[in-house]
């Protein structure tokens, strides 16, 4: 076996994986039409492109009333504010996700309470969530992470027993289904990011799926500088401008035409990856829950056993990357993000409630181990490059295994320097 590319050898793959986002003449035409129409922005909300995208997005996900916003962080803040959740209230968030999930809670003035994730899925552990509930807990934000979905049966039970609002963070789960129900339509709200790396993108953008038209009206007011959107009472709210623009929505409408075929292809290649990875020693495939009936996903996550590989996930990602395989360790455990450290953050919530942010007293072992030792996130582009795209990942992992002693030795001497 030749030397690892990380140690000066020849990479397994030199051909780049396909670019993202993809586009064709339809995107150019759609944007051109909006430019010519003169109605570029999001005011008055909703414009024709926005209304169409909202309707079609909700239809694709299989329910809810969609309000279109600037990104997939304000969507969660707006959902909380639409439920009057704010100062001093507690909101449960998973310990392993992007910091936006918890930052949105603080932007609403509430306290993010971090709970550990499940070993088999790296999504919120419902048992850990249950033990974090206090009389101040008002909402729970499960994140459907990578290619997984949180256990929505357990989370909805927990929420109904404790009177909690459920906001599904579906930034990674466009098109995914749990027991045949679309992600984001199971809880009270579903929050989607359309940022450029996401599998449905408008460059930037977000969708909030609301369970009822009344919630949707409140959300629409909050994103439209407080203008009333309820037909009857015409109530102003303390809103801001979080509207999506017509240019973005036009891209979304074209993206929706391609999405079903892309999702099907990704799902098939993910199943192929499951099979192939199951043969690689030291690799743990995350749980394939039978209730996760449609597996539309953002990135593919697996766990490595450092006892077998002799190095951790960061070193493996480095070595894979040098072999031409795009991947990352992705997220820190939530309590390690600087944003939440009271001494480093000037945000109101950590400063006002320092005891709730004393992370020296907290530990989230599954999330910490995922982040620092085990989790490898494979980029989505790998799943658009046919079987060869997946086969190259497997070949690269075998190459790392064959050269693990050399890699461990090189890592050690690098760390000692
Ligand atoms: C899990 C998760 N939640 C929320 C967000 C925030 O989305 P946006 O960047 O659109 O604000 C992201 C974005 O990357 C994410 O990965």
């Amino acid at each position: 076996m030749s030397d690892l590319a990380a140690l000066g050898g020849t990479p397994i793959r030199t051909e780049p994986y396909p670019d993202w986002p993809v586009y064709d003449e339809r995107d150019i035409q759609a944007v051109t039409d909006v430019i010519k129409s003169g109605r570029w922005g999001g005011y008055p909300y909703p414009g024709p492109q926005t209304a169409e995208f909202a309707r079609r997005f909700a239809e694709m996900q299989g329910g809810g009333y969609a309000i279109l916003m600037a990104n997939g962080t304000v969507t969660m803040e707006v959902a909380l504010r639409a439920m009057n959740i704010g100062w001093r209230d507690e909101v449960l968030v998973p310990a392993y996700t992007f910091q936006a999930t918890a930052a949105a809670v603080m932007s609403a003035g509430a306290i993010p309470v971090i709970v550990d994730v499940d070993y088999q899925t790296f999504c919120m552990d419902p048992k850990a969530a249950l033990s974090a509930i206090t009389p101040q807990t008002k909402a729970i934000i499960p994140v459907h992470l990578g290619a997984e979905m949180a256990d929505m049966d357990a989370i909805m039970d927990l929420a109904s027993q404790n009177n909690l609002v459920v906001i599904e963070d579906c930034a990674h789960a466009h098109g995914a289904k749990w027991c045949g129900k679309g992600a984001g339509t199971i809880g009270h709200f579903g929050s989607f990011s359309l940022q450029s790396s996401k599998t449905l993108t408008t460059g930037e953008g977000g969708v909030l799926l609301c369970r009822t038209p009344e919630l949707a009206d409140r959300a629409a007011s909050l994103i439209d500088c407080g203008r009333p959107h309820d037909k009857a009472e015409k109530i102003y709210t303390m809103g801001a401008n979080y509207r999506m623009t017509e240019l973005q929505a036009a891209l979304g409408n074209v993206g929706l035409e391609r999405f079903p075929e892309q999702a099907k292809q990704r799902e098939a290649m993910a199943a192929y990856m499951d099979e192939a990875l199951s043969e690689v020693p030291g690799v743990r495939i995350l749980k394939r829950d039978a209730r996760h009936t449609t597996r539309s996903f953002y990135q593919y996550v697996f766990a490595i056993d450092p006892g077998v590989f002799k190095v951790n996930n960061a070193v493996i990602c480095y070595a894979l990357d040098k072999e031409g395989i795009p991947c990352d360790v992705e997220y820190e455990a939530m309590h390690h993000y600087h944003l939440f450290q009271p001494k480093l953050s000037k945000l109101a919530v950590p400063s006002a409630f320092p005891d709730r942010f004393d992370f020296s007293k907290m530990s989230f072992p599954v999330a910490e181990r995922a982040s620092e030792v085990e989790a490898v996130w494979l980029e989505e582009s790998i799943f658009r490059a046919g079987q060869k795209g997946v086969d190259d990942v497997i070949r690269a992992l075998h190459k790392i295994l064959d050269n693990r002693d050399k890699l461990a030795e090189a890592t050690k001497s690098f760390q000692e320097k």
Side-chain angles (χ1 to χ4, degrees):
M1 177 60 70
S2 59
D3 258 348
L4 290 171
L7 303 177
T10 310
I12 290 278
R13 188 179 172 101
T14 47
E15 186 192 347
Y17 280 98
D19 286 338
W20 185 260
V22 295
Y23 67 92
D24 57 36
E25 277 307 312
R26 286 175 293 175
D27 303 82
I28 294 164
Q29 191 58 52
V31 169
T32 305
D33 289 347
V34 173
I35 290 171
K36 288 183 178 166
S37 79
R39 193 163 172 181
W40 298 0
Y43 173 79
Y45 182 90
Q49 291 291 334
T50 305
E52 185 188 335
F53 184 41
R55 180 186 57 74
R56 288 174 62 197
F57 188 92
E59 198 175 276
M60 174 193 80
Q61 252 357 78
Y65 301 85
I67 303 298
L68 305 192
M69 307 188 192
N71 57 63
T73 306
V74 294
T75 40
M76 291 184 276
E77 178 194 334
V78 166
L80 291 166
R81 295 181 55 212
M83 296 305 289
N84 226 359
I85 295 170
W87 193 246
R88 241 179 241 289
D89 293 330
E90 294 178 9
V91 178
L92 307 184
V93 298
Y96 192 50
T97 174
F98 187 44
Q99 69 171 31
T101 313
V105 175
M106 292 200 292
S107 298
I111 301 169
V113 174
I114 303 169
V115 301
D116 209 352
V117 293
D118 180 85
Y119 170 78
Q120 293 187 308
T121 62
F122 294 158
C123 294
M124 182 184 270
D125 177 354
K127 285 194 214 86
L130 177 63
S131 53
I133 292 174
T134 73
Q136 282 71 49
T137 311
K138 296 290 185 311
I140 178 167
I141 310 187
V143 178
H144 303 312
L145 196 81
E148 298 290 318
M149 280 187 79
D151 181 344
M152 286 311 292
D153 295 348
I155 284 167
M156 292 313 288
D157 283 351
L158 185 80
S160 66
Q161 282 153 20
N162 294 278
N163 203 19
L164 305 180
V165 172
V166 179
I167 302 163
E168 296 172 68
D169 183 346
C170 309
H172 301 178
H174 312 69
K177 289 196 171 133
W178 180 265
C179 296
K181 281 193 190 158
T185 70
I186 305 166
H188 301 82
F189 297 95
S191 163
F192 295 80
S193 167
L194 304 172
Q195 167 256 66
S196 51
S197 72
K198 299 302 190 291
T199 54
L200 179 67
T201 182
T202 53
E204 297 290 351
V207 182
L208 185 66
L209 281 183
C210 308
R211 195 186 263 184
T212 66
E214 291 74 26
L215 288 175
D217 285 349
R218 255 184 269 166
S221 174
L222 287 166
I223 65 146
D224 192 19
C225 303
R227 291 183 182 88
H229 277 260
D230 58 319
K231 279 57 179 184
E233 295 181 66
K234 302 264 174 227
I235 292 171
Y236 273 81
T237 60
M238 206 187 94
N241 179 2
Y242 291 159
R243 295 180 300 258
M244 179 181 278
T245 69
E246 284 284 284
L247 286 162
Q248 290 166 296
L251 287 172
N253 280 318
V254 180
L256 279 177
E257 289 173 21
R258 294 189 197 98
F259 184 80
E261 195 47 45
Q262 292 167 333
K264 229 185 260 168
Q265 182 195 352
R266 264 184 223 115
E267 191 173 28
M269 293 317 296
Y272 182 71
M273 179 66 90
D274 287 347
E275 286 272 322
L277 272 181
S278 65
E279 307 285 322
V280 181
V283 165
R284 177 167 65 86
I285 297 167
L286 300 190
K287 185 174 174 179
R288 297 296 161 237
D289 196 310
R291 294 168 296 174
H292 187 176
T293 41
T294 301
R295 206 169 145 217
S296 179
F297 69 93
Y298 172 51
Q299 293 190 14
Y300 184 104
V301 188
F302 63 90
I304 59 99
D305 179 347
V308 175
F309 274 90
K310 301 191 174 176
V311 287
N312 69 7
N313 55 347
V315 178
I316 288 176
C317 284
Y318 177 77
L320 280 174
D321 195 58
K322 294 286 176 196
E323 297 297 337
I325 309 298
C327 62
D328 199 357
V329 296
E330 205 71 13
Y331 301 132
E332 293 192 64
M334 182 64 87
H335 59 308
H336 291 163
Y337 286 115
H338 290 160
L339 177 65
F340 309 113
Q341 317 296 329
K343 286 198 193 108
L344 297 174
S345 171
K346 286 193 175 161
L347 289 169
V349 178
S351 313
F353 304 99
D355 54 316
R356 304 298 269 130
F357 292 82
D358 185 355
F359 297 120
S360 63
K361 295 200 183 105
M362 299 180 201
S363 92
F364 306 99
V366 182
E368 285 165 37
R369 195 168 161 79
S371 152
E372 290 157 26
V373 182
E374 290 187 331
V376 173
W377 290 61
L378 295 173
E379 268 188 19
E380 179 275 341
S381 59
I382 290 168
F383 301 87
R384 278 183 291 118
Q387 292 192 348
K388 164 100 170 49
V390 170
D391 293 343
D392 284 344
V393 177
I394 304 301
R395 287 171 62 215
L397 281 167
H398 278 296
K399 192 175 171 192
I400 292 171
L401 279 167
D402 290 343
N403 289 277
R404 64 192 125 171
D405 289 322
K406 279 192 216 161
L407 186 60
E409 191 52 44
T411 305
K412 207 168 131 212
S413 47
F414 179 75
Q415 283 163 344
E416 280 165 3
K417 271 188 201 151

